[in-house]
Amino acid sequence: MVSIIVPVYNVINYLDRCIASILAQTYREFELILVDDGSTDGSSQLCDFYKERDERVVVIHKTNGGLVSARKAGIVAARGEYIGFVDSDDWIEPPMYERLIRSAVKYQADLVLGGSIEDVGGQTVYKTNRLKTGIYDDERLQKELYPYMICAGNFFRMGIQPYIWNKLMRRELAYPNIMAVDARIRVGEDVAAVMPMLFQAERVIITDFCDYHYCARSASMIWERGNEEKEWNELGILHCFLQ
């Protein structure tokens, strides 16, 4: 039913926590695709370690090509009807995918959106989408989601979190949009995939589930000095994308 894709590159200090949290999900009907993007720090061997011990784990070893190329390799191999992504230095709460897939199946949704938990500097901050929870389709997509998903009231306040990792999406929606992202993109790759999906989805579910732990660290691809700066950055990227 679900393929969970984790791009992996030199995250040996975080990878064990990430994989263990996925394998501990209360929802069990998934495959975990670990895409080793040419790691040199032992992450590759740890991926193989888990593959030997759990039949749900699939490992892809490839030469280094960046995050976008790793996501593409994962979705090409994915067999699930629904796709989820987890960054390899983050981790998730046990009920995350059970909650997301339950909403997707119950309401026949193309895209289910969750919130996130930001673990930064010893502080834990729960963040949900600013648009109301509920089912968005037909007229409600046109009147309540599209006009406010980029700017919800206050300037530079996005209505929808633009990240790919706190969502569950149908494969037929995710595949073409992930594959269309230029692999040379190093910042804003989530926006380039998520925004087209929102426009193409016939039914979107917004939930208030905060089960995804986003862990900001100085070695991450993006290091921001706070939530406001992060949203300015994402919106600037989105503006460039929409041009």
Side-chain angles (χ1 to χ4, degrees), residues 3-64:
S3 295
I4 304 172
I5 299 169
V6 180
V8 176
Y9 180 69
N10 288 353
V11 283
I12 192 62
N13 293 330
Y14 305 91
L15 185 58
D16 188 66
R17 177 184 65 181
C18 174
I19 297 175
S21 74
I22 297 171
L23 295 179
Q25 290 294 289
T26 55
Y27 178 77
R28 307 292 294 174
E29 301 300 318
F30 65 85
E31 62 174 356
L32 170 57
I33 303 177
L34 303 173
V35 184
D36 168 36
D37 192 38
S39 297
T40 58
D41 68 342
S43 296
S44 175
Q45 290 80 5
L46 186 58
C47 290
D48 290 335
F49 173 85
Y50 274 102
K51 179 183 177 181
E52 298 272 330
R53 283 155 180 77
D54 196 308
E55 62 182 7
R56 295 172 296 174
V57 178
V58 176
V59 177
I60 299 171
H61 296 290
K62 61 184 287 297
T63 56
N64 181 254

Side-chain angles (χ1 to χ4, degrees), residues 25-212:
Q25 290 294 289
T26 55
Y27 178 77
R28 307 292 294 174
E29 301 300 318
F30 65 85
E31 62 174 356
L32 170 57
I33 303 177
L34 303 173
V35 184
D36 168 36
D37 192 38
S39 297
T40 58
D41 68 342
S43 296
S44 175
Q45 290 80 5
L46 186 58
C47 290
D48 290 335
F49 173 85
Y50 274 102
K51 179 183 177 181
E52 298 272 330
R53 283 155 180 77
D54 196 308
E55 62 182 7
R56 295 172 296 174
V57 178
V58 176
V59 177
I60 299 171
H61 296 290
K62 61 184 287 297
T63 56
N64 181 254
L67 177 59
V68 172
S69 106
R71 285 176 176 172
K72 289 182 178 183
I75 202 166
V76 166
R79 298 174 297 167
E81 180 181 354
Y82 288 90
I83 304 291
F85 290 91
V86 177
D87 283 355
S88 53
D89 51 354
D90 298 337
W91 60 284
I92 58 179
E93 294 286 346
M96 175 171 164
Y97 278 99
E98 182 173 2
R99 288 172 166 171
L100 293 177
I101 192 64
R102 184 181 298 165
S103 294
V105 172
K106 181 177 180 179
Y107 300 108
Q108 292 297 292
D110 300 309
L111 191 58
V112 183
L113 285 57
S116 60
I117 306 169
E118 294 193 357
D119 299 325
V120 184
Q123 294 184 330
T124 299
V125 180
Y126 290 79
K127 297 188 68 179
T128 58
N129 295 283
R130 292 189 175 95
L131 295 186
K132 293 180 180 179
T133 60
I135 304 169
Y136 290 78
D137 56 10
D138 301 324
E139 187 175 351
R140 197 174 185 199
L141 282 171
Q142 300 291 332
K143 293 186 175 182
E144 298 182 42
L145 192 144
Y146 298 155
Y148 304 107
M149 66 184 189
I150 297 174
C151 185
N154 296 330
F155 190 53
F156 281 118
R157 287 284 189 175
M158 299 186 75
I160 297 295
Q161 292 186 4
Y163 319 118
I164 204 167
W165 32 253
N166 57 355
K167 297 171 176 60
L168 188 68
M169 58 217 80
R170 284 193 190 273
R171 187 182 189 277
E172 58 261 37
L173 178 67
Y175 185 90
N177 287 296
I178 295 294
M179 298 302 289
V181 178
D182 194 315
R184 295 171 295 180
I185 294 177
R186 291 293 183 268
V187 178
E189 62 285 331
D190 285 20
V191 174
V194 169
M195 290 302 168
M197 287 188 217
L198 285 167
F199 282 120
Q200 295 167 20
E202 294 183 6
R203 179 169 293 167
V204 175
I205 307 295
I206 298 179
T207 75
D208 58 2
F209 307 143
C210 291
D211 293 317
Y212 189 101

